[in-house]
């Protein structure tokens, strides 16, 4: 998909899908428990073939627009079918049940990255 906006070409990535999860952990969740949950999340890339990469970070914004979300997790897949396979995979289902039990708020967005070329 190509579009032009004010003299700039935009091109949607072919097949690549990003899976972004914003998380707010429940108050009282111990830091060592959060650290273990993050390690276990990162390990899913070794267990689930369609999951090609994993990155995460903590909010460091000075704008205070995080709405309580403290952590971001981003995974890369080759297709929307790969995301669906990941979501249904037994290793993800088992992990998600544990992970979600420790969250107060969660937001998930899947998107196909679009690059703007000048």
């Amino acid at each position: 998909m190509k579009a032009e906006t004010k003299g700039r070409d935009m091109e949607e990535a072919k097949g690549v899908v990003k899976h972004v999860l914003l998380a707010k952990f429940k108050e009282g969740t111990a830091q060592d428990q959060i650290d273990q949950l993050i390690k276990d999340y990162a390990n899913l890339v070794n267990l689930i073939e369609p999951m090609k990469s994993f990155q995460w970070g903590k909010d460091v914004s000075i704008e205070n627009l995080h709405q309580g979300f403290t952590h971001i997790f981003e995974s890369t897949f080759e297709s929307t079918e790969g995301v669906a396979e990941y979501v249904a995979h037994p290793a993800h289902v088992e992990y998600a049940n544990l992970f979600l039990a420790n969250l107060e708020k969660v937001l998930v967005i899947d998107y196909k990255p679009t690059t703007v070329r000048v």
Side-chain angles (χ1 to χ4, degrees):
M1 178 180 171
K2 266 189 140 172
E4 192 172 310
T5 306
K6 296 184 181 180
R8 296 179 183 192
D9 283 338
M10 294 189 298
E11 188 170 344
E12 188 177 271
K14 304 249 186 294
V16 173
V17 176
K18 298 287 188 172
H19 177 81
V20 177
L21 184 149
L22 301 176
K24 178 182 180 185
F25 287 93
K26 289 181 180 175
E27 192 172 323
T29 305
Q31 186 60 51
D32 61 338
Q33 187 173 6
I34 292 172
D35 293 344
Q36 187 60 54
L37 287 166
I38 293 169
K39 286 177 189 174
D40 292 345
Y41 197 155
N43 190 51
L44 291 177
V45 79
N46 299 314
L47 304 175
I48 305 174
E49 194 278 329
M51 186 179 187
K52 300 303 178 189
S53 68
F54 173 80
Q55 295 177 299
W56 74 276
K58 288 180 72 172
D59 177 57
V60 295
S61 176
I62 60 170
E63 295 179 294
N64 199 28
L65 297 174
H66 53 75
Q67 298 182 31
F69 293 104
T70 56
H71 291 73
I72 184 166
F73 304 93
E74 182 180 72
S75 305
T76 303
F77 298 85
E78 291 180 348
S79 66
T80 53
E81 294 81 8
V83 176
E85 187 178 333
Y86 160 80
V87 169
H89 193 283
H92 172 263
V93 172
E94 181 181 344
Y95 173 76
N97 288 330
L98 178 63
F99 184 66
L100 294 173
N102 288 280
L103 298 183
E104 181 178 319
K105 282 173 57 169
V106 64
L107 174 67
V108 177
I109 296 177
D110 297 329
Y111 73 99
K112 292 184 175 184
T114 300
T115 301
V116 177
R117 301 202 192 317
V118 181

